């Protein structure tokens, strides 16, 4: 490559240096000294100085030769190059020996080239002057790292020598083509050797050590970057450049990456954007190709930019040396320099995450220099948290559960799941009622196939044109979307675009939403493509097969261990997936792809609804609509296409592989970037697209701190599920027969109320017209909502039917508070009553002596009939209702239908069927039950508040204390509100008198439940208003006034019943307010070590103009924006409590797993087999006590003080006063009461 010919190979440099006839270092050593010399001691011998200077002079001549060849190739002008020779300096030059610089180097240059060089030199001088003026304006004078000391001597008074003319002018002329700019090649590269002494002025060229000066020729880029902070716009450009280089690395467009990097570095205004990570990215790409010279070119940019090579830099160098045949001296010099930089060779194999093939190449190079070297193996790290000591203890009884499936079956399931993820999409047969295909249906399907083939060809053409256009711009050194378009094979990209047509609803979707979703799908498939191309499939199969031996029913393990521990022992960590692209690139790529799709898909005139059309019409059209006062761009399919889809009645739905449950156990979570699906990317912590603050926080956390969360998520995902076929059949019958709103089966939109169709008379009043418009709007809103619910049910039921004869798993991750969720969105146990009833444990367990009783109690809990009764009363009620239970199981749709009156009818029906099978079995204790039994917390948020404050009154109200009957906090608050209302009514308050007889548990329940999670007076009033409107006899004219009155009474009652709760809530709220007012988002660390930050910032706008429409992307996750004070302070109390209930759940999950139980949860509702309910209840209570025995509030206070209270909090001014207030508030930890946490152990209704 012409642009990279400045660096000679080892052999070439050896010959060039030996031609002078003087001893010198080897060429290989010369390269490395030139690149790493700035780290050497300055006390070098004169002979060593001469040898180093030789390299600098030869390098300069090579630069000039390269430029001549470039200009010849470009036909700029005829250039004649005379012989360039290196001669000795006379003995009286003051040198003690060594190799002198060249005495003569003559270049004959044409006039047009000279003019071009003059122009380039003037431009460079203007840029340098501008930069110096900017720095002087800021009062900063930076010392250059090196400066040019000597000038070339003129050959004659009238005709300058070639060297005197070419040397200064070629510096600027080489800027556009060479890997380094002129100023960096001529002054910075040789000047990397700080140990040179200053040369006399008459010497041709000299590089001296860094000296302060008022007008530096070259500015130290690293110092400039530290002194002048990058603006937000520059930071955005920096991130986009990093993403561009990452995509070049992924698509192997390394020549483009080097060209763009060089172009950036050649511009004085853009040098500050280059980071060490960018150089490492390009170096890694050249290392994979074994391109040694190109790698050294990028390394020189890194060194000239002021960066010291880090572990990844050395890993790339050694990997490249392992792929090419280099002398061992070069490798030894590299290892020596790495040691001088304070880096250990062992760190390369422990801390740098590379693929196995890359590590093997690196090891080959190391073994040449150190034949006895053995790569170190990572030592297992153990979490030292006191809460998890028993979980990771080696002593004590351990009975980790195993699956009920043999090893070979699990291997076959793994291969099936792998094929699904490699295909990216899954076709699932729809359960929608479809008649036998008619001739019209068949013709419509044939037309669709023809259109799709036409669209596919057009999409290929449009993509190729877009790539060609962008490639031309990239060749000029400009970062473009070209590598982003190349991350996926063109066929896969085309198919993904065509699939978008199938999921586009008839009413269309917002243009911005489609842009973002399309780009994110591209990114997710890009990660999958990278794992496929980098040879990870075979490694994954070998490792996963070994991992299955821990779970299979027919294998044995020498020593029991947790899944994550076993996975880590089987191999090194997987390479990290690519970093998420900046939102600007995501939106730009999505916009480009969507516009290509719009231009490519057209309908023939024969399908157009217009009879006069003779030209193809766009299949997608862009319209604007208003939402409030905002104008929203929509992309809608042509009605003719919607009609064609309806006529074709295609029988299958298309799902992404990540939207499906897994057909094999998930990969154990071993880091924040590894776990869940086999190949498809999965986030450990969910976040808004484009937000990296949570991921950065997790990556900065010590790995052992996350072990508790990683193991809990792995345990939840390892629970095997199956579909309850009997319930599914009944639901499908109702779904296909127009649904049932009462039973939670959504009816189709065709059952929505129709707007009035009668025509208004011409003399209709404005009031009548307004009423009609309002009615039409209401009907359309209901129809849209019904269609949305119906589609959701269609997806869920279709997936259930697809999986009804299979075992499957639900990988889990968590939100930013630590609460866990299944990754598949459409079919999981966190859904509605219907969704939960469709699922049961794939692995059953015998009921045992008490399992049938728990099954019956669970049945009554689902009905909601005996909530205030003790357990023995619920069991007795179940026995008395056995006839209705059996009738519901046997004749659910034709019998007495007792189950339909329950709060959760479908789960009640599933439990009726399980009870019927158990009682009719020969031995109920031996009956194998698959039904999950729930134990639900009693207003769990208030339970945590009461435990934090040791509030005896509050603890008794939420069942932390022992009681013969369950305490209902909602009924208690309703009773207290009634006391206040009665008192006000006696004093003549009208609204209190109107409310007589209407205050009930149901009216206040939602407000009491959510007040602990930060509901405000306004939100609470809306909740109560909704309940009052549901009361038939309540006078509706008083709804607003009554709801406003009641919400104040509810809050007043809670303050009296839970005094410590309100105190803690106030402390958390005020602390968050002061922290956010100081300009920081609230952070904390949970007792299990999960780092948390609240993603509430002021909205920032990202605007992309042009094209089909301009895009404005609003996000509140931009960490560069100030925090949103109101959301930060209102969100802290509920988010903190959510993080505590997540810790309690995770501790319970880990200890249940250690005891061999099957355990899953829906936040504060814990599920297990009927035979294990007693064990789970014991573990649940023990872990709650252990959690709240920790100094949670004190630890939180100490963390917030360290994190947000600066040492200069006593400084004068507003900031100092704010810091003082914050410190005072954080140290004022609320006092605790006298409640004894040990009482929780004997509380029957704590979880029940």
């Amino acid at each position: 490559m012409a642009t990279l010919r400045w660096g000679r190979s080892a052999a070439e440099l050896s010959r060039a240096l030996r031609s002078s006839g003087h001893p010198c270092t080897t060429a290989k050593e010369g390269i490395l000294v030139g690149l790493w010399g700035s780290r050497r001691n300055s006390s070098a011998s004169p002979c060593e100085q001469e040898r180093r200077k030789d390299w600098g002079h030869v390098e300069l001549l090579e630069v000039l030769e390269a430029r001549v060849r470039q200009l010849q190739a470009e036909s700029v002008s005829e250039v004649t190059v005379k012989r360039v020779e290196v001669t000795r300096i006379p003995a009286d030059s003051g040198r003690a020996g060594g190799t002198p610089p060249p005495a003569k180097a003559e270049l004959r240059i044409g006039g047009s080239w000279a003019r071009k060089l003059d122009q380039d030199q003037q431009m460079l001088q203007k840029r340098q002057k501008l930069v110096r003026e900017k720095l002087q304006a800021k009062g900063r004078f930076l010392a250059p790292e090196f400066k040019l000391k000597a000038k070339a001597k003129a050959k004659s008074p009238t005709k300058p020598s070639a060297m005197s003319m070419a040397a200064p002018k070629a510096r600027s002329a080489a800027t556009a083509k060479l890997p380094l700019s002129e100023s960096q090649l001529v002054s910075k590269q040789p000047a990397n050797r700080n140990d040179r002494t200053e040369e006399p002025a008459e010497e041709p060229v000299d590089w001296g050590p860094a000296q302060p000066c008022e007008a530096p020729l070259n500015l130290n880029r690293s110092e400039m970057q530290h002194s002048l902070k990058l603006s937000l716009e520059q930071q955005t450009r920096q991130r986009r450049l990093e993403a561009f280089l990452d995509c070049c690395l992924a698509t192997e467009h390394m020549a483009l990456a080097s060209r763009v990097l060089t172009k950036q570095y050649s511009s004085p205004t853009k040098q500050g954007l280059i980071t060490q990570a960018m150089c490492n990215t390009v170096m890694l790409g050249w290392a994979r190709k074994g391109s040694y010279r190109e790698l050294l070119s990028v390394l020189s940019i890194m060194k000239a930019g002021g960066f010291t090579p880090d572990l990844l830099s050395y890993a790339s160098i050694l990997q490249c040396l392992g792929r090419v045949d280099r002398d061992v001296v070069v490798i030894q010099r590299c290892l020596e320099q790495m040691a001088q930089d304070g880096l250990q060779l062992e760190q390369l194999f422990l801390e740098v995450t590379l693929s196995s093939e890359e590590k093997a190449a690196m090891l080959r190079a190391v073994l040449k220099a150190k034949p006895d070297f053995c790569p170190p193996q990572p030592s297992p790290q153990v979490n030292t948290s006191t809460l998890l000591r028993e979980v990771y203890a080696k002593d004590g009884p351990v009975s980790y559960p195993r699956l009920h499936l043999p090893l070979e079956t699990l291997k076959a399931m793994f291969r099936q799941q792998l094929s699904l993820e490699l295909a990216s999409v899954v076709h699932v047969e729809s359960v929608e009622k479809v008649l036998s295909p008619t001739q019209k249906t068949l013709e419509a399907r044939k037309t669709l196939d023809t259109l799709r083939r036409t669209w596919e060809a057009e999409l290929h053409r449009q993509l190729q044109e877009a790539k060609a256009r962008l490639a031309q711009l990239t060749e000029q050194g400009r970062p473009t979307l070209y590598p982003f378009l190349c991350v996926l094979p063109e066929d896969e990209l085309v198919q993904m675009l065509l699939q978008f047509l199938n999921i586009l609803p008839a009413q269309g979707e917002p243009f911005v939403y489609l842009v973002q979703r399309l780009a994110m799908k591209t990114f997710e498939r890009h990660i999958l493509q990278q794992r496929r191309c980098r040879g990870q499939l075979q490694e994954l199969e070998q490792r996963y097969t070994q991992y299955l031996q821990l779970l299979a029913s027919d294998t044995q393990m020498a020593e029991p261990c947790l899944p994550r521990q076993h996975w880590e022992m089987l191999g090194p960590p997987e390479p990290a997936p690519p970093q998420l692209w900046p939102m600007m690139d995501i939106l730009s790529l999505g916009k480009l792809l969507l516009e290509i799709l719009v231009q490519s898909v057209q309908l023939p005139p024969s399908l157009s609804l217009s009879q006069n059309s003779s030209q193809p019409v766009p299949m997608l059209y862009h319209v604007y609509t208003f939402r409030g006062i905002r104008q929203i761009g929509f992309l809608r399919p042509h009605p003719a296409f919607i009609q064609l889809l309806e006529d074709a009645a295609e029988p299958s739905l298309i799902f992404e592989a990540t939207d499906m449950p897994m057909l094999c156990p998930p990969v154990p979570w071993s880091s924040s970037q590894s776990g869940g699906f086999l190949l498809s990317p999965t986030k450990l912590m969910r976040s808004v697209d484009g937000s990296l603050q949570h991921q950065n926080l997790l990556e900065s956390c010590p790995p052992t701190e996350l072990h508790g969360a990683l193991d809990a998520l792995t345990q939840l995902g390892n629970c095997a599920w199956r579909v309850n076929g009997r319930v599914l059949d009944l639901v499908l019958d109702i779904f296909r027969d127009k649904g049932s709103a009462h039973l939670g089966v959504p009816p189709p939109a065709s059952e929505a109320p129709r707007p009035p169709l009668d025509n208004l008379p011409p003399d209709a009043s404005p009031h009548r017209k307004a009423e009609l418009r309002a009615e039409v709007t209401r009907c359309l809103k209901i129809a849209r909502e019904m269609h949305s619910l119906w589609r959701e049910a269609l997806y869920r039921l279709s997936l259930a039917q697809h999986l009804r004869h299979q075992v499957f798993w639900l990988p889990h991750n968590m939100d930013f508070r630590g609460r866990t969720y299944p990754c598949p969105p459409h079919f999981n146990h966190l859904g509605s009553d219907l969704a939960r009833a469709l699922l049961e444990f794939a692995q059953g367990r015998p009921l045992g002596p008490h399992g049938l009783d728990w099954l019956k109690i669970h049945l009554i809990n689902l009905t909601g009939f005996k909530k205030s009764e003790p357990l023995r009363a619920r069991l007795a009620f179940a026995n008395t209702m056995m006839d209705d239970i059996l009738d519901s199981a046997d004749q659910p749709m034709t019998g007495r239908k007792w189950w339909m009156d329950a709060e959760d009818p479908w789960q009640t029906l599933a439990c009726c069927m399980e009870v019927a099978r158990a009682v009719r079995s020969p031995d109920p204790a031996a009956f194998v039950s698959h039904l999950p039994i729930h134990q639900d917390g009693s207003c769990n948020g208030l339970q945590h508040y009461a435990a934090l404050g040791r509030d005896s009154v509050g603890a008794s109200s939420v069942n932390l204390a022992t009681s013969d009957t369950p305490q209902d906090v909602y009924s208690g608050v309703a009773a207290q509100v009634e006391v206040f209302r009665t008192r006000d009514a006696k004093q003549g308050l009208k609204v209190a008198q109107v409310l007589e007889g209407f205050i009930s548990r149901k009216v206040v329940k939602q407000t009491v439940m959510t007040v602990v999670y930060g509901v405000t007076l306004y939100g609470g009033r809306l909740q109560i208003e909704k309940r009052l409107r549901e009361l038939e006899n309540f006078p509706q004219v008083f709804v607003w006034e009554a709801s406003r009155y009641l919400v104040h009474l509810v809050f007043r009652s809670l303050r009296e019943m839970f005094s410590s709760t309100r105190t803690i809530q106030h402390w958390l709220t005020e602390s968050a307010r002061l922290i956010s007012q100081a300009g920081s988002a609230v952070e904390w660390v949970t007792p299990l070590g999960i780092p948390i930050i609240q993603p509430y910032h002021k909205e920032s706008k990202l605007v992309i103009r042009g094209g089909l429409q301009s895009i404005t992307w609003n996000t509140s996750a931009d960490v560069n924006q100030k925090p949103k004070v109101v959301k930060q302070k209102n969100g802290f109390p509920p988010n903190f409590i959510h993080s505590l209930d997540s810790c309690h759940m995770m501790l319970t999950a880990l200890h249940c797993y250690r005891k061999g139980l099957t355990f899953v949860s829906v936040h504060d509702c814990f599920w297990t087999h009927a035979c294990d309910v007693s064990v789970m209840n014991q573990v649940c209570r023990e872990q709650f006590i252990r959690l709240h025995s920790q100094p949670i509030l004190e630890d939180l206070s100490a963390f917030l003080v360290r994190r947000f209270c600066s040492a200069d909090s006593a400084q004068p001014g507003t900031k100092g006063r704010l810091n003082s207030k914050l410190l005072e508030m954080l140290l004022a930890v609320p006092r605790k009461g006298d409640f004894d946490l040990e009482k929780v152990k004997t509380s029957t209704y704590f979880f029940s």
Side-chain angles (χ1 to χ4, degrees), residues 135 138 140 142 220-230:
L135 290 178
K138 292 180 175 290
R140 300 295 301 269
L142 302 177
N220 186 311
R221 192 199 62 77
S222 61
E223 292 184 16
M224 186 187 305
Q225 185 176 12
H226 287 297
S227 62
L228 303 177
K229 291 185 178 180
L230 295 177

Side-chain angles (χ1 to χ4, degrees), residues 64 108 136 209 222 430 522 530 535 582 589 750 1012 1046 1104:
L64 299 178
R108 184 164 299 167
Q136 290 170 0
S222 61
S430 173
T522 305
Q530 283 298 291
L589 176 64
S750 59
V1012 69
L1046 281 181
I1104 301 177

Side-chain angles (χ1 to χ4, degrees), residues 400-533:
Y400 296 129
R402 285 176 170 266
L403 296 173
H404 62 293
L405 301 170
L407 181 61
E408 291 302 319
T409 301
L410 290 173
K411 287 182 181 179
M413 299 174 81
F414 161 76
R415 290 189 290 269
Q416 188 178 3
Q417 175 66 25
L418 185 62
S419 65
L420 290 180
E421 293 191 36
L422 288 174
S424 299
V425 295
V426 181
H427 293 264
V428 175
E429 185 176 351
S430 173
V431 296
E432 186 179 3
K433 186 176 182 180
V434 179
L435 301 175
S436 300
T438 62
Q439 184 63 31
K440 182 180 180 181
T441 301
L442 297 176
E443 290 177 359
R445 292 178 182 177
K446 183 178 179 180
T447 303
L448 267 180
D449 291 339
T450 303
L451 284 175
R452 285 167 178 161
R453 286 194 296 270
T454 304
W455 294 341
E456 184 176 348
E458 182 63 18
L459 282 171
H460 276 287
R461 189 185 68 80
Q462 293 275 3
L463 283 171
Q464 290 166 4
E465 289 182 359
K467 287 181 180 180
R469 183 175 64 255
L470 292 173
Q472 290 180 353
L473 297 176
T474 312
E475 289 286 346
Q476 301 172 11
R478 295 172 54 184
T480 67
L481 292 176
Y482 175 70
F484 294 87
L485 280 179
C486 299
V487 295
L488 293 181
E490 195 171 287
D491 287 338
E492 183 175 352
L493 193 56
V494 167
Q495 292 302 319
M496 187 182 72
L497 291 173
L498 290 176
Q499 289 165 13
F500 253 66
L501 300 178
N502 295 331
I503 62 175
L504 195 63
Q507 68 271 19
E509 290 200 67
F511 186 82
V512 177
Y513 172 71
L514 291 175
V515 162
Q516 188 264 351
R517 189 168 63 171
L518 187 57
M520 287 305 300
K521 289 298 180 185
T522 305
F523 176 75
E524 291 169 1
R525 295 196 182 188
H526 159 54
I527 297 179
L528 185 63
Q529 181 71 15
Q530 283 298 291
R531 291 176 174 173
R532 178 169 27 188
C533 293

